[in-house]
Amino acid sequence: MATLIPLPHRRRHFHRVGSWLPDNPKVLIAWVKNLVETVDSRNQRRDLPAWPEPVKELDTLIESTTELRMLASAMFDEVPDKDPYREDPVGNKQIRHYKHMLDLFSVIMTEIAPKWSQTEYGVGLIGFPFNAILDWPMATQSGYAFFLHPEVNKKLKAILNSWGKDVLQTDKSKYVITASKDGWLSEEALVHIEMDTNVEGQKPLTFDQLFKCDPIGDPIHWGYNSWDAFFVREFKDIDRLRPVAYKDDPKWVVSSCESKPFALQTNVKEYDTFWLKGQSYSVAEMLNHHPDASNFIGGTVFQAFLSATSYHRWNSPVEGDVVYANVVDGTYFSEPTISGFTNPEGPDPAAPDKAQGYITHVATRAIFFINAKDPIGLICVIYVGMADVSTCEIASRFSQQQLPHPVAKGEELGMFHHGGSTCCLLFRNGLKLAWVTAASPGTSKKNIPVRSELAYAYA
């Protein structure tokens, strides 16, 4: 049996998480600088395409009210005119105003897919190209207000959906799924994916042994016809590679995602100050004020995050009946003041990396309620989109019209498109849980494998 740790011994830790933007800021700076120079040069030659309709609609919205035009302008002006922001290409000196931002949006959403990046500064991933150009503006006081605005987020959703439909889910994005040095099938990229996926103590496997692909029939793209097809790739044999732990024991909860623990909090409140340092969980707001949220007041929240090189499908942590499943629209580039310029330590250089707790309350998210057998009872699972990565797809058999619907422990519930983000499990008040050692935030640099043992209920 796995080693268990009683819940009261937990401490909460925070991490720079996910690797959606590179650890070395110079890699990101070089990418943004090149994008800005390219767009500016094309603009001077009158070689930029007309703004796509979703960008035009965002521009119209901004200019429709004094408030939004003021916020959109001020969030670039409020980036401090000092090092490192003065010379940083993601600051206001390079991206000069919101019209310039919209030029960049237009090029990204019609031409660019997230790519593996190898430069003279090292290796990294530009998985959040929109986030990359907004890093400093979204950390300002005006940026907080602008990116929380519901109408702004409706327009951003249209932009991101268009990007997915017209680029990421089409062969226009195949150029990043190759063995070139900036390709996802390069030796360097595959090594990172294999390291992220292989389980400690087991024989290491290569990418083509781990995932469904076709390197023989399609030696260039390995059978992936788009960026999205690559990112929602399936295990070659999930039952062999990720067997369901304690499949027939209702006391055991398994990992819902291939992910690393971020936080574990007990006695969560109905309402709490999730936007402040510590990012306490506020159950009613996490669950979009669902009537069944009351079951989890005083209960437990476990949160884990998905890395850019991880598997991005969701699996049920328990056996039971799905009684509710819905996607809640939310924000895309909102971060709390604690990770912005008001922080004495300066802004999060890869926001919202350090705001994983915060985004569970405001970002786009898929919410499931599952009635499990005793002793677990009602459990809630939340799959949260982050920044550019905010498309949550619920499997059709769990659409609200099909519910209630039985679900097996470890059965696929849905997936993130264009990448992934973070996942929360909420347990009812009064349920006692013992957690495997790996569930403690900061214990291991490795993922907890999806469908592996996570916690044991003994109440």
Side-chain angles (χ1 to χ4, degrees):
M1 181 178 285
T3 303
L4 299 173
I5 295 180
L7 192 58
H9 290 243
R10 297 290 170 179
R11 292 192 306 165
R12 196 151 177 245
H13 299 272
F14 292 94
H15 311 272
R16 176 179 172 84
V17 302
S19 299
W20 287 97
L21 294 174
D23 288 335
N24 184 347
K26 291 184 178 180
V27 178
L28 178 61
I29 287 170
W31 183 87
V32 177
K33 180 179 180 181
N34 180 68
L35 175 64
V36 169
E37 289 177 348
T38 299
V39 170
D40 286 352
S41 176
R42 290 176 62 180
N43 207 4
Q44 289 176 358
R45 299 195 309 268
R46 300 183 182 276
D47 187 32
L48 277 182
W51 284 351
E53 196 59 35
V55 173
K56 292 179 183 177
E57 291 179 1
L58 177 57
D59 181 56
T60 298
L61 174 67
I62 290 171
E63 296 194 348
S64 69
T65 71
T66 302
E67 175 197 11
L68 287 179
R69 193 171 72 84
M70 180 179 67
L71 293 174
S73 299
M75 68 182 179
F76 291 97
D77 295 336
E78 290 171 12
V79 176
D81 186 22
K82 63 179 182 179
D83 292 337
Y85 317 113
R86 180 166 49 215
E87 298 179 359
D88 190 332
V90 295
N92 67 327
K93 193 169 185 179
Q94 290 294 325
I95 302 171
R96 299 177 291 276
H97 44 71
Y98 73 84
K99 297 281 189 180
H100 193 205
M101 173 190 76
L102 296 179
D103 282 340
L104 298 172
F105 277 10
S106 296
V107 171
I108 292 172
M109 67 179 287
T110 56
E111 301 177 15
I112 293 176
K115 71 175 184 176
W116 186 264
S117 177
Q118 297 183 58
T119 72
E120 64 269 30
Y121 304 114
V123 177
L125 163 65
I126 311 299
F128 282 171
F130 287 92
N131 202 149
I133 66 174
L134 297 175
D135 251 0
W136 300 143
M138 62 192 277
T140 64
Q141 291 287 349
S142 292
Y144 302 144
F146 183 79
F147 290 112
L148 276 173
H149 198 285
E151 291 302 315
V152 169
N153 281 289
K154 286 181 182 179
K155 302 306 181 187
L156 290 172
K157 177 181 179 179
I159 288 172
L160 294 175
N161 285 347
S162 178
W163 182 46
K165 178 176 176 289
D166 296 337
V167 176
L168 302 185
Q169 294 176 355
T170 74
D171 58 9
K172 288 181 69 173
S173 59
K174 286 175 69 172
Y175 74 95
V176 299
I177 313 298
T178 69
S180 68
K181 73 171 186 175
D182 289 334
W184 279 96
L185 301 177
S186 66
E187 182 178 355
E188 188 81 36
L190 293 180
V191 165
H192 277 76
I193 295 171
E194 290 161 5
M195 289 176 58
D196 200 32
T197 307
N198 279 304
V199 178
E200 287 184 345
Q202 296 183 10
K203 179 183 176 182
L205 301 175
T206 60
F207 182 95
D208 61 302
Q209 293 172 323
L210 290 164
F211 298 104
K212 293 180 180 179
C213 59
D214 186 14
I216 304 300
D218 181 7
I220 297 178
H221 304 293
W222 289 23
Y224 297 114
N225 58 13
S226 68
W227 152 263
D228 188 61
F230 173 80
F231 234 77
V232 300
R233 61 189 179 272
E234 299 178 72
F235 280 113
K236 181 161 284 187
D237 182 352
I238 192 169
D239 290 328
R240 176 176 61 85
L241 295 171
R242 295 294 188 267
V244 180
Y246 304 101
K247 186 172 184 177
D248 299 319
D249 188 340
K251 297 183 181 67
W252 274 98
V253 179
V254 300
S255 178
S256 187
C257 292
E258 195 93 351
S259 53
K260 298 179 180 70
F262 175 78
L264 184 51
Q265 190 175 118
T266 59
N267 195 29
V268 292
K269 298 179 181 179
E270 181 177 12
Y271 290 96
D272 212 334
T273 52
F274 62 86
W275 55 87
L276 299 180
K277 188 174 183 179
Q279 300 177 72
S280 298
Y281 294 103
S282 182
V283 172
E285 288 155 313
M286 289 177 76
L287 302 186
N288 198 37
H289 302 279
H290 190 282
D292 287 339
S294 58
N295 291 276
F296 304 101
I297 299 168
T300 301
V301 175
F302 170 79
Q303 183 174 358
F305 61 89
L306 290 79
S307 297
T309 48
S310 295
Y311 176 76
H312 288 87
R313 293 170 180 257
W314 323 324
N315 297 74
S316 179
V318 293
E319 179 184 358
D321 291 308
V322 175
V323 294
Y324 177 84
N326 193 34
V327 174
V328 176
D329 286 337
T331 64
Y332 296 93
F333 300 101
S334 175
E335 63 173 307
T337 56
I338 56 165
S339 59
F341 284 106
T342 59
N343 187 334
E345 298 177 1
D348 178 359
D353 267 3
K354 294 179 181 177
Q356 296 276 307
Y358 168 83
I359 65 172
T360 63
H361 304 80
V362 301
T364 297
R365 56 205 184 274
I367 300 176
F368 287 79
F369 286 96
I370 304 173
N371 264 329
K373 295 179 181 179
D374 290 336
I376 292 172
L378 188 67
I379 182 175
C380 181
V381 196
I382 308 176
Y383 304 98
V384 188
M386 181 170 73
D388 302 27
V389 180
S390 293
T391 303
C392 304
E393 180 189 351
I394 294 173
S396 59
R397 63 187 176 281
F398 300 117
S399 66
Q400 198 61 38
Q401 295 74 23
Q402 305 290 328
L403 302 183
H405 195 291
V407 65
K409 186 186 295 185
E411 181 179 346
E412 187 173 301
L413 293 172
M415 69 191 80
F416 290 115
H417 283 278
H418 319 156
S421 183
T422 191
C423 169
C424 288
L425 302 183
L426 284 78
F427 299 91
R428 62 181 176 81
N429 182 20
L431 182 65
K432 295 180 181 179
L433 295 159
W435 299 79
V436 298
T437 303
S440 179
T443 298
S444 174
K445 294 181 179 180
K446 293 288 290 182
N447 283 329
I448 297 178
V450 66
R451 311 209 301 179
S452 67
E453 62 265 31
L454 182 66
Y456 182 82
Y458 58 95

